[in-house]
Amino acid sequence: MHVPDGFFDAPTSIATGLIAAGAVGFSLQRANREIRETGPALAGLTAAFVFAVQMVNFPVGAGTSGHLLGGALAAALVGPWTAVLVMSTVLLVQGLLFADGGLTALGTNITLMGVVTVIVGYFVTRALLKALPKRVGSVVPATTVGALISVPVAALCFTGLYVIGGAVDIPLGKLATAMVGWHILVGLGEAVITAAVLSAVVATRPDLVYAARHLQADLVLVDADGNTSTVSPDKPIAAKPAGRSFGVGVAATLLVAGVVSLFASAHPDGLEFVGAKLGFESAAKDSAVAGSPLADYGVSGIGNSQVSGALAGIIGVLVTIAVGLAIAKIASLRSSARAEQTDLMQS
C-alpha cells in the first residue's frame, strides 16, 4: 500500500505530511518508557524485520499480491509510540533509498501505514486482552485480530483521503468496495504472518514482547485449611538483555531479506491492482529518487537479478537497523533530558 507521488493533490499531501510529522514528534516524546524497558536495540531490529518482511509479497488471488504492513506487530513488540517511530523509519528508508513510495507522498504513507495501522492494531489488541484470559499466550490471538482489522481500516482511510484530494474522480462507493475488499484479503495474510512471528517470540522471549510484559497470570495461594486466594503480581515481567536473541533476530532478518524475498510474488499489490482497474494508476509519478542505485530493490551495475536483489535487501536491513537504533536513541535522550530539566525546576 505504498502510495506513489501523483495520487494526491498538494494540499492533501501537505496535510498528511503535517499529521505524520506531528505523530512522529509526539512519539519521540512518549517512547522513552517503552525503549527504557528493552533498550533501543529491539526497536532497530523490529524496524529491520518489518522492512525485510515487506519485501516478501504473497499472492492474494486474481493476479494480486500483498505484503505485511506490520503496524500491529510492531506495537505488540515494542509498544505503540516506538512502533510509530519504527514504521516511520522503514518508510523513510524505503522512500529515500529504494524509491518505494513517493517522496511527496511520504507523509501519506507514514499516516496510513505508520500511524493508522499502529493505532488500530494496538487498541484492538488492548481491547481483546481485557476480555481474554490474563496470560502471555493471549497476546498472539489478540494481536492477530488487531493486525487483520488494521489493514482494511488503513485502506478505508486511503479511500477517504482520495475522495478529498485524489487525482482522478472515482465514485466513493466503487473505490471503497475495491480497496477494502482486496485489503481484507491482504489483512488475512497480515494476520497469519503476525501470528507466526509473535508466537515464535512469545514462546522463546516473552519478556521482549511489550504487550506481554504486563500479563502475568494471577498467583493462586492455598492456606493450611485449603482456602484459596489470588494475588495479582504488581510488577511486569522484567525484560532481560537481548544478547544472543538479538543476534538470532538479525540473522533471521537478513535471511528473509536476502533469500526469502527472492521468491516474492511479482503480481501488483492491492493498491496497484485497484488503481489499474479503476483508472487512477496513470496518475502515479516516478519518485524523485527513481535513479537511486538501490531503486526497485536491486543494486545497479549487478547483472544477476537474484544477487542484485539479495544484496539490496541485506543493505536495506543494515541501514534500517542503524537508522532505527539512532531514532530510538534520540527518543530516549530527548525524554531523559526533559525529565532532568523537570527535576531541576522542581528542586
Side-chain angles (χ1 to χ4, degrees):
M1 244 178 74
H2 289 77
V3 179
D5 290 332
F7 271 17
F8 294 104
D9 59 21
T12 304
S13 296
I14 292 172
T16 56
L18 292 174
I19 292 171
V24 170
F26 191 69
S27 297
L28 281 169
Q29 297 178 358
R30 299 295 298 272
N32 181 54
R33 185 176 64 84
E34 299 167 355
I35 295 172
R36 189 170 60 241
E37 292 184 3
T38 54
L42 184 60
L45 178 57
T46 301
F49 184 77
V50 170
F51 170 88
V53 179
Q54 283 195 4
M55 292 180 65
V56 186
N57 278 47
F58 50 83
V60 172
T64 312
S65 70
H67 63 70
L68 179 83
L69 298 187
L73 175 61
L77 289 173
V78 296
W81 307 116
T82 308
V84 171
L85 301 180
V86 161
M87 296 300 297
S88 299
T89 298
V90 173
L91 292 163
L92 183 66
V93 172
Q94 290 171 335
L96 292 179
L97 294 186
F98 297 91
D100 191 4
L103 294 187
T104 61
L106 181 59
T108 301
N109 284 316
I110 291 177
T111 298
L112 295 175
M113 299 172 63
V115 179
V116 172
T117 62
V118 169
I119 291 174
V120 173
Y122 178 70
F123 281 104
V124 170
T125 299
R126 278 194 61 184
L128 290 176
L129 286 175
K130 292 180 180 180
L132 292 171
K134 189 180 178 183
R135 57 171 180 256
V136 171
S138 296
V139 170
V140 176
T143 307
T144 299
V145 175
L148 170 61
I149 294 175
S150 69
V151 178
V153 171
L156 189 60
C157 289
F158 169 87
T159 302
L161 288 174
Y162 196 87
V163 170
I164 294 172
V168 178
D169 186 22
I170 305 292
L172 172 60
K174 182 181 292 188
L175 180 60
T177 299
M179 283 295 295
V180 175
W182 281 110
H183 284 90
I184 287 175
L185 299 178
V186 176
L188 292 172
E190 177 103 4
V192 170
I193 296 171
T194 298
V197 173
L198 204 53
S199 294
V201 180
V202 167
T204 55
R205 290 294 305 270
D207 57 305
L208 295 182
V209 180
Y210 175 84
R213 287 201 290 273
H214 298 269
L215 288 177
Q216 293 165 289
D218 292 342
L219 301 175
V220 179
L221 304 179
V222 183
D223 62 21
D225 297 325
N227 299 315
T228 62
S229 61
T230 59
V231 178
S232 298
D234 58 355
K235 293 183 179 180
I237 299 173
K240 302 174 183 177
R244 180 181 176 185
S245 297
F246 181 79
V248 172
V250 171
T253 301
L254 290 171
L255 180 66
V256 172
V259 178
V260 179
S261 66
L262 300 179
F263 301 93
S265 172
H267 293 309
D269 65 21
L271 178 58
E272 293 171 329
F273 183 83
V274 172
K277 288 294 184 181
L278 298 186
F280 62 87
E281 183 186 41
S282 59
K285 298 179 181 178
D286 288 338
S287 169
V289 295
S292 164
L294 297 173
D296 297 324
Y297 297 94
V299 180
S300 61
I302 298 180
N304 187 300
S305 61
Q306 290 190 321
V307 173
S308 175
L311 185 57
I314 291 171
I315 292 172
V317 165
L318 297 178
V319 171
T320 305
I321 287 178
V323 176
L325 281 169
I327 292 178
K329 191 66 176 177
I330 291 171
S332 179
L333 292 175
R334 279 172 58 92
S335 297
S336 297
R338 189 173 63 254
E340 291 178 1
Q341 184 178 13
T342 301
D343 291 341
L344 289 173
M345 292 176 63
Q346 291 177 347
S347 61

